[in-house]
Amino acid sequence: MILRKRPSILGLFLVLRGSVIQVIWKQLLLVMAVALAVVWAHGALPQVVVALDFAPFGLIGIALSVFLSFRNGACYDRWWEARKLWGLMIQTARDMVRQTIVLEDTPERRQILMALVQFGHRAAKQLRGQPPADSADAALIEAGRSVSRLERDGRLTGTEALVLHESLARMAGALLGCERLAHTPVPFAYTLLLHRTAYLFCIMLPFGFVDELGWATPLAAGLVAYAFFGLDALADELEMPFSHNQNAMPLTTYATAMEIALRGALGDSDLPELPKPVNYLLT
Amino acid sequence: MILRKRPSILGLFLVLRGSVIQVIWKQLLLVMAVALAVVWAHGALPQVVVALDFAPFGLIGIALSVFLSFRNGACYDRWWEARKLWGLMIQTARDMVRQTIVLEDTPERRQILMALVQFGHRAAKQLRGQPPADSADAALIEAGRSVSRLERDGRLTGTEALVLHESLARMAGALLGCERLAHTPVPFAYTLLLHRTAYLFCIMLPFGFVDELGWATPLAAGLVAYAFFGLDALADELEMPFSHNQNAMPLTTYATAMEIALRGALGDSDLPELPKPVNYLLT
Amino acid sequence: MILRKRPSILGLFLVLRGSVIQVIWKQLLLVMAVALAVVWAHGALPQVVVALDFAPFGLIGIALSVFLSFRNGACYDRWWEARKLWGLMIQTARDMVRQTIVLEDTPERRQILMALVQFGHRAAKQLRGQPPADSADAALIEAGRSVSRLERDGRLTGTEALVLHESLARMAGALLGCERLAHTPVPFAYTLLLHRTAYLFCIMLPFGFVDELGWATPLAAGLVAYAFFGLDALADELEMPFSHNQNAMPLTTYATAMEIALRGALGDSDLPELPKPVNYLLT
Amino acid sequence: MILRKRPSILGLFLVLRGSVIQVIWKQLLLVMAVALAVVWAHGALPQVVVALDFAPFGLIGIALSVFLSFRNGACYDRWWEARKLWGLMIQTARDMVRQTIVLEDTPERRQILMALVQFGHRAAKQLRGQPPADSADAALIEAGRSVSRLERDGRLTGTEALVLHESLARMAGALLGCERLAHTPVPFAYTLLLHRTAYLFCIMLPFGFVDELGWATPLAAGLVAYAFFGLDALADELEMPFSHNQNAMPLTTYATAMEIALRGALGDSDLPELPKPVNYLLT
Amino acid sequence: MILRKRPSILGLFLVLRGSVIQVIWKQLLLVMAVALAVVWAHGALPQVVVALDFAPFGLIGIALSVFLSFRNGACYDRWWEARKLWGLMIQTARDMVRQTIVLEDTPERRQILMALVQFGHRAAKQLRGQPPADSADAALIEAGRSVSRLERDGRLTGTEALVLHESLARMAGALLGCERLAHTPVPFAYTLLLHRTAYLFCIMLPFGFVDELGWATPLAAGLVAYAFFGLDALADELEMPFSHNQNAMPLTTYATAMEIALRGALGDSDLPELPKPVNYLLT
């Protein structure tokens, strides 16, 4: 996740890090090159390279922007849901710190909370496609077993055990929600349809611009392509919030934050440090 | 469900599998043929086959794209709700593994969890319109009966039984939610209205393009028709997430995943294998 | 609710049943007649019946389509919420079958479940504006009284009674949600504003089309009017999901489904039959 | 809240009551007067009062309609949330009738339910900015105290008391949600920005229409102004659902409905009558 | 948060306080100056400073307004979620007043409620980036410890303790939700993309306006820039609801309201006063 201050007006045009331009510069150059070629060829051979009327492009472009906006909304919602689910995990971990306070300074509490520490790190790995030796789910099952044993031994009341079991279920549910996001992309046909239409549109656009804008065509085509390809590429990144692109969730940070909260509550002093953004990128 | 990597720029235009073009190619050809005929006829008999001004088409097209976008949003929400409901089923199954851990290695636990295995497979069949001999609901009632008996026998505390009953209710609720989706389409009149408007619009479009685009008319009309028919066809597929089209939910996979999680917890070793995408299609 | 298969491409234009055209054909004819009159009069008396430039119509039409789309979204959400609330009622009835299984074969169980059967039929009548002799709420109060008595008599544990009371509360809440929908229309001024704007726009449209489309004006104006009036009329129907129009909820079917589920669980054999669509219409 | 049937096509244009035209007629007249003046002046002094090209107005108008639509959505959501919160209050009151049935015919039940009656009327007053002598919250605290006393005296089980406390918490939460709506307007800068842009746009619009529409300019400008000012004014009304405008929530009716439900359950016979719409307006 | 009445029509154009114009006046002046320069230069050197056709600007502008609207919706949702979360905190505080009523006039109740007072003020500081000596979370842990001790001592029943623990968990969850909003901005690349496109568009716009609007160009460009920059700047402010801009949440007021409710319930008489808007601004 990119964390940086809003740049000043001038800086606005110089910022590269965190911009989607890093992803789409090839396509942008392509469109602008085509535009340049069209302007030149239309000037040289007006009979062969004909200019087209702009109006139809207006229709297609506006329709495309409506559809792009819809896909962007869906992808952004996925990204934000991913963020909420990890927020729920961290919150549940903190809840369990409070819910196990009656076990303060017992080895069982340490066991339960350390299982959650494991859970966090394993969940991060699993979601990034690097499955750890033991699954995150196994950590929760272990914790659940401890809770049941403590209740049978009369060291937790039925209510206290119930509350802890519910927290574990919430944790498991949050992870499953993340896996749902990780394994169910937006329907592939949507992506394909919008990609194709956007490409064809931007490649054809110079023919519609050339008569109206002349040598300003490459600039205008570039601006349109920047907005359309840019939004499309951004939606691609947000669609998969657990991948490794620059807008992905900083899972290492989240899992570490969980560890710090849990082990801090256990009184450990050798806590890991929270990752800091490197070159504005938090991982 | 189609699972495939984003293709490269060139590959983008060659991918067929997973594209909506497989569904709408006839309509596309029709529109392009009409466009070709219009261009030719307008050239040959300009007095008979008149060109129309484009502006009104702009209005109709943009309005249509706003309405299509609305229906797409509604259908996508249905699809995603279906995905969430199956996610909830899988999660509930995993929850019940944890919630029955006090019964570990008893025949009753096996009975309850195997009822859930049945539930998953039957639910998948029911939703696909192939009702199994016994209903999915019957499996849940059976499981509920076991839980009640265990509580009466004092082998489950009241709290433990309550938690299990709530899980069963959640399972039943998720299935009913799926049935709601399967049996309540988006109002038929919407579908009809948008289909008709889209068809009429695309057929009439060449008359509006011919004066402005000349021989580029078939290409432009094809592009518009691709976007409009494509989105319309996609919405049709997403509207019914439990049918057999290529964007439908991979229910076999989900039911098998449930079985693996449940029977794995029971220590069974002869687990079925998780289906793999065949030609990018997961069923 | 209209239930029918998507028609074939040709059939698409012949389907009447379930189409909104049954509701708006008068308005459509009016607009097309006006258009015809305008084209003729403009040809005959160009000085008196002047053509207007189309551009302003583009602006008004697009703005109108954005606003219509917003109202459609709101009405569709109401319709879908109504569907969800009835789904919740059916689910709660099924839950209560499971939750009363400890009372199997007792007269009290029959009493409770039969009260729910009454509830379903009365709720359907109330929502359709035909209040039954006894209110749906009275049936729930009766069921609640039975549950309390059973708990006091020690035949239900505190937990079992709690779960049943919660189900009753959910049932009551779902009905109240439906009544909220039935008695609180979308603000009347919205409806009025959009109706008026749509009418004025469609009546004035031929003046904007006549110069650009000539004798194609009635066709184009009819297409626009079909989309705009059609969406407006559909929103009207979806806004009131418990009325008697063809997109209304099939409450008789839902109440009967509830009865079948409940009385089936009681072992009754003289179950009513589930209504079937008559001429594609399910009531 | 305005409750009236959809008028007939002709009546559609005669309805005043419930129309937003009552709120914006001055602005409408202003815009039409400006338009008339512009048309006249442009005819008399074409060199001084110049006509502007329409195209830029198209852009501004469409952008404005997108933004207006966004604010309308936000305000409608507030209005509907207000409706839902009062629905929740009424539902909770009805729930508490059922939940206190074990106390039937005791003075304590009367005390609790009458506290809710007070709550309803006080909440309505508070939200309308007429704070009653005692706050609505005080009524809930009083009811909560009764419940706690009854539990301590053994007349309510722990579960029954818990359920009642949760109902009280839900009631308090619903009121607080209403207060949130009442005290947190949509950001003022939004309102200002859209008002200003809409005003400037509609005042400048005649200059863009005059060349294209001639003497039809006042009519067209009036239609645009009606749609834009009308939606803007409606959003203003929906934004504040507890004020005294004609789309505000009928709080007196809701509080009375609560009283009837509660006192009816207590067997009182001198129940107040439910307010009826006066001149289509329910308060 | 700005709290002021809707101004009159004339006042509408004079209001500065609370308007976004305070934030974007430099950019507005820049655009209008560029526009003025373009008009002048185009008149003086028509061969060098060429006018561009407007149509492409229409496309870009409309697409941009669709995208801006999407980002505005996302940012407004964040702002409203922040408001809801603080509403939940205040509600939970009030709930805990009611839930601790069995402890009335005991030092433990004072201890618990005063911990919540601390929580509120610390939460406000933390969210505004001024971390207090002790964290807000520590206050909740302290309160949780008291509740557990009271349960172990038999002064709270298991149910009462459970309800209090759940309230504490809700409080902690609300704060974590706020922290999520404070630390997870909308993806930076979105902001950058929209900023850049909006800037480039508004700077280039005069070239598209000059031929069509002449000397009205600066005015029209200013109006467009006002709407686009204004909405963009507003989204920036709403995106970060806990910062210090004028649309940020009035956390001091909320924390004080919590204190008044809590200490008022404890019978304290030296309550702080609720902040009042200063120059329409509530902090």
Side-chain angles (χ1 to χ4, degrees), chain A residues 33 39 41 62 82 95-96 142 156 175 178 187-188 198 205 210 238 278:
Chain A
V39 178
I62 293 172
D95 282 349
M96 290 184 74
E142 194 192 327
L156 285 176
L175 175 57
C178 290
F188 180 69
L205 196 54
V210 66
L238 298 188
V278 178

Side-chain angles (χ1 to χ4, degrees), chain C residues 33-282:
Chain C
V34 169
L36 212 60
V38 166
V39 178
W40 173 82
H42 180 62
L45 305 155
Q47 306 303 326
V48 177
V49 177
V50 295
L52 299 175
D53 187 89
F54 178 73
F57 290 94
L59 160 64
I60 302 177
I62 292 171
L64 194 55
S65 73
V66 172
F67 302 146
L68 272 177
S69 178
F70 159 67
R71 190 168 91 99
N72 263 298
C75 290
Y76 176 76
D77 285 348
R78 288 169 61 93
W79 182 82
W80 191 236
E81 188 183 354
R83 181 63 190 86
K84 276 189 173 162
L85 287 169
W86 269 89
L88 185 60
M89 286 189 207
I90 297 174
Q91 174 186 343
T92 306
R94 284 209 216 164
D95 282 348
M96 290 183 75
V97 165
R98 235 184 9 259
Q99 289 159 356
T100 54
I101 218 148
V102 295
L103 301 170
E104 214 167 5
D105 297 324
T106 64
E108 284 84 0
R109 191 191 190 203
R110 171 166 293 272
Q111 198 185 10
I112 293 172
L113 297 191
M114 288 307 291
L116 297 183
V117 171
Q118 288 304 314
F119 171 80
H121 288 295
R122 290 181 194 171
K125 279 194 189 123
Q126 270 174 225
L127 289 172
R128 281 180 166 163
Q130 307 150 335
D134 293 299
S135 78
D137 225 45
L140 292 188
I141 288 180
E142 195 192 326
R145 210 179 293 246
S146 298
V147 172
S148 294
R149 211 178 307 118
L150 285 162
E151 188 191 3
R152 297 266 147 175
D153 295 352
R155 292 176 53 197
L156 286 175
T157 66
T159 308
E160 287 164 348
L162 177 65
V163 167
L164 282 166
H165 278 303
E166 278 176 356
S167 291
L168 289 173
R170 208 156 37 235
M171 203 70 124
L175 175 58
L176 218 73
C178 290
E179 284 175 353
R180 172 167 45 79
L181 288 169
H183 299 318
T184 315
V186 166
F188 180 69
Y190 261 116
T191 309
L192 207 58
L193 180 72
L194 288 176
H195 272 294
R196 282 179 178 170
T197 318
Y199 267 85
L200 286 175
F201 175 70
C202 287
I203 293 295
M204 287 169 68
L205 196 54
F207 294 91
F209 275 170
V210 66
D211 244 20
E212 321 223 3
L213 300 179
W215 287 102
T217 294
L219 205 65
L223 185 60
V224 172
Y226 175 55
F228 282 21
F229 289 161
L231 279 165
D232 192 48
L234 261 171
D236 281 358
E237 295 205 349
L238 298 188
E239 183 188 348
M240 284 300 163
F242 302 120
S243 59
H244 288 277
N245 66 57
Q246 62 183 7
N247 283 301
M249 290 288 131
L251 297 189
T252 310
T253 306
Y254 294 159
T256 310
M258 250 169 93
E259 179 172 355
I260 293 170
L262 290 163
R263 289 184 52 205
L266 287 171
D268 288 8
S269 55
D270 58 329
L271 301 177
E273 225 172 315
L274 209 58
K276 291 216 165 11
V278 178
N279 195 6
Y280 306 111
L281 180 70
L282 196 66

Side-chain angles (χ1 to χ4, degrees), chain B residues 238-262:
Chain B
L238 298 188
E239 183 188 348
M240 285 299 165
F242 303 119
S243 58
H244 288 276
N245 66 57
Q246 61 182 8
N247 284 302
M249 290 288 131
L251 296 190
T252 312
T253 306
Y254 294 159
T256 311
M258 250 169 94
E259 178 173 356
I260 293 172
L262 290 162

Side-chain angles (χ1 to χ4, degrees), chain B residues 21-59:
Chain B
I21 226 162
Q22 293 180 307
V23 182
I24 57 165
W25 65 271
K26 283 187 206 163
Q27 287 100 307
L28 276 189
L29 283 189
L30 176 70
V31 167
M32 292 175 84
V34 168
L36 213 60
V38 166
V39 178
W40 173 82
H42 180 62
L45 305 154
Q47 305 304 326
V48 177
V49 177
V50 295
L52 298 174
D53 188 271
F54 178 74
F57 290 95
L59 161 63

